[in-house]
Amino acid sequence: MLQDIGQTGIKGSRIALGAMRMSALDVKEAEKVIATSVESGITFFDHADIYGGGESEMRFRDALKNLDVKREDLILQSKCGIRKGFFDFSKEHILASVDGILKRLGTDYLDFLALHRPDALWEPEEVAEAFTQLRSAGKVRHFGVSNQNRSQMEFLQSYLDQPLAVNQLQLSPVHAPMMSSGLEVNMTTPGANDRDGGIIDYCRLNKVTIQAWSPFQIDLSKGLFSGNPDYKALNDTISTLAKQYDVSDEAIIVAWILRHPAKIQTIIGSMNPQRIKGIVEAEKVELTRPEWYEIYTKAGHILP
């Protein structure tokens, strides 16, 4: 199933494949992953210049050469701005990064470029100049951000002549501060802390597509919640629903994200073709409101 990506007029798959781990595969394995993804309805592929030190993008390029898949039938996104030991949103770095990305992916253009992590030293004028130059040269069609809050997006948008299309944010049933802050309003509970300035409402108001990364993780340091004894109630609930809907546990987790009316696009990072097939079955599931809230509360969040 396809959905609008921002205000771009581009329709992409609701589930996207993140290529962070593709550098660990050989070309034949990467071919199988890409082919399975496309056969399963995935049209959107997310990259970053730092994934595998650039090897992931090259592996994708080399695998794609051997497949009967046209470039124009795929939506390619990459990210830049993270360097060894620091972040860099300078015009010079953005332009150089895109040239490297295009070469490694073996393509003339990116459908989307996102700024990867906020740079404390950024100058929005420089970013705007880089975006304008890249768009005029036909190297990048649309732009977005990753891991930015509302004020950062508003600040950057004020310098741009094209709407930001995406914001890539960590989201899972366990890691859901953007949900809890909107539910625990006017509370003194931990979940009431507004860490992002109401990013979900901002993106909905401005037709920015949120892209959820790490949908199966607690956070980057604690790993997956599946099989974790601290989240037994959550995992039991997910497994019960998976049996009820006749899908995998992972499909239920992705269905939880897809159920939100913000039309959040989910980025999965599996390099296992069978798991990919199982995850995309999330599209068949429409969780009820009680089921959505049961997953949310069993993940450890409260309802006031």
Side-chain angles (χ1 to χ4, degrees):
M1 188 181 300
L2 303 179
Q3 69 172 60
D4 291 324
I5 307 298
Q7 301 180 60
T8 64
I10 294 177
K11 291 186 178 294
S13 52
R14 299 178 74 199
I15 299 172
L17 185 77
M20 183 173 69
R21 299 180 180 87
M22 192 164 281
S23 61
L25 308 181
D26 61 32
V27 173
K28 286 295 181 184
E29 291 170 331
E31 286 176 22
K32 182 64 174 175
V33 168
I34 298 169
T36 299
S37 299
V38 172
E39 290 165 5
S40 301
I42 293 175
T43 62
F44 199 110
F45 293 85
D46 175 67
H47 298 269
D49 57 0
I50 64 165
Y51 290 168
E55 289 289 333
S56 291
E57 290 173 327
M58 290 189 285
R59 196 76 75 253
F60 184 90
R61 173 199 65 199
D62 294 343
L64 199 60
K65 290 178 182 176
N66 301 322
L67 297 175
D68 186 23
V69 179
K70 296 179 181 178
R71 165 64 182 91
E72 57 266 29
D73 293 333
L74 302 180
I75 301 169
L76 300 186
Q77 171 176 282
S78 195
K79 302 182 291 294
C80 70
I82 298 179
R83 304 184 70 175
K84 189 173 182 179
F86 63 102
F87 302 138
D88 190 348
F89 285 0
S90 66
K91 177 182 176 180
E92 180 183 27
H93 179 67
I94 293 171
L95 295 177
S97 295
V98 170
D99 285 341
I101 290 166
L102 294 178
K103 182 178 180 180
R104 289 190 296 273
L105 284 175
T107 184
D108 295 329
Y109 69 96
L110 286 175
D111 296 284
F112 296 90
L113 174 73
L115 302 177
H116 206 159
R117 282 278 180 184
D119 173 18
L121 304 180
W122 71 324
E123 297 287 355
E125 299 94 336
E126 280 197 48
V127 175
E129 289 174 8
F131 284 4
T132 297
Q133 188 169 324
L134 290 168
R135 187 170 66 251
S136 298
K139 294 180 179 181
V140 180
R141 294 183 171 178
H142 303 284
F143 301 88
V145 297
S146 180
N147 305 300
Q148 289 200 8
N149 61 31
R150 174 177 183 154
S151 62
Q152 290 167 329
M153 291 186 71
E154 287 182 316
F155 186 39
L156 176 57
Q157 185 63 71
S158 69
Y159 287 86
L160 303 178
D161 58 6
Q162 183 188 63
L164 290 167
V166 300
N167 188 2
Q168 198 168 120
L169 297 160
Q170 185 176 6
L171 175 64
S172 76
V174 173
H175 184 95
M178 68 176 79
M179 305 287 186
S180 60
S181 63
L183 286 168
E184 298 174 45
V185 175
N186 199 34
M187 303 285 288
T188 58
T189 50
N193 293 327
D194 187 356
R195 295 176 171 85
D196 53 43
I199 196 66
I200 289 183
D201 293 338
Y202 174 80
C203 288
R204 291 182 75 179
L205 282 168
N206 291 277
K207 297 181 172 60
V208 176
T209 296
I210 293 174
Q211 299 174 329
W213 60 270
S214 288
F216 311 121
Q217 287 196 338
I218 302 167
D219 59 33
L220 291 178
S221 64
K222 295 182 180 178
L224 304 175
F225 55 80
S226 177
N228 188 314
D230 292 338
Y231 295 95
K232 184 179 185 304
L234 171 62
N235 289 317
D236 287 348
T237 296
I238 289 170
S239 293
T240 297
L241 289 169
K243 291 184 178 67
Q244 176 184 319
Y245 284 99
D246 192 26
V247 296
S248 68
D249 287 15
E250 289 171 314
I252 292 296
I253 296 165
V254 172
W256 183 83
I257 295 173
L258 298 182
R259 174 64 176 81
H260 196 280
K263 301 187 186 306
I264 299 169
Q265 186 181 38
T266 307
I267 298 177
I268 62 171
S270 177
M271 294 290 107
N272 182 314
Q274 286 305 119
R275 284 184 67 198
I276 292 170
K277 288 180 181 179
I279 292 170
V280 298
E281 289 192 331
E283 301 251 34
K284 303 189 307 185
V285 178
E286 178 75 13
L287 293 174
T288 66
R289 197 175 292 256
E291 288 167 347
W292 190 93
Y293 275 102
E294 183 179 14
I295 290 173
Y296 177 79
T297 54
K298 290 297 174 59
H301 309 291
I302 66 165
L303 295 180

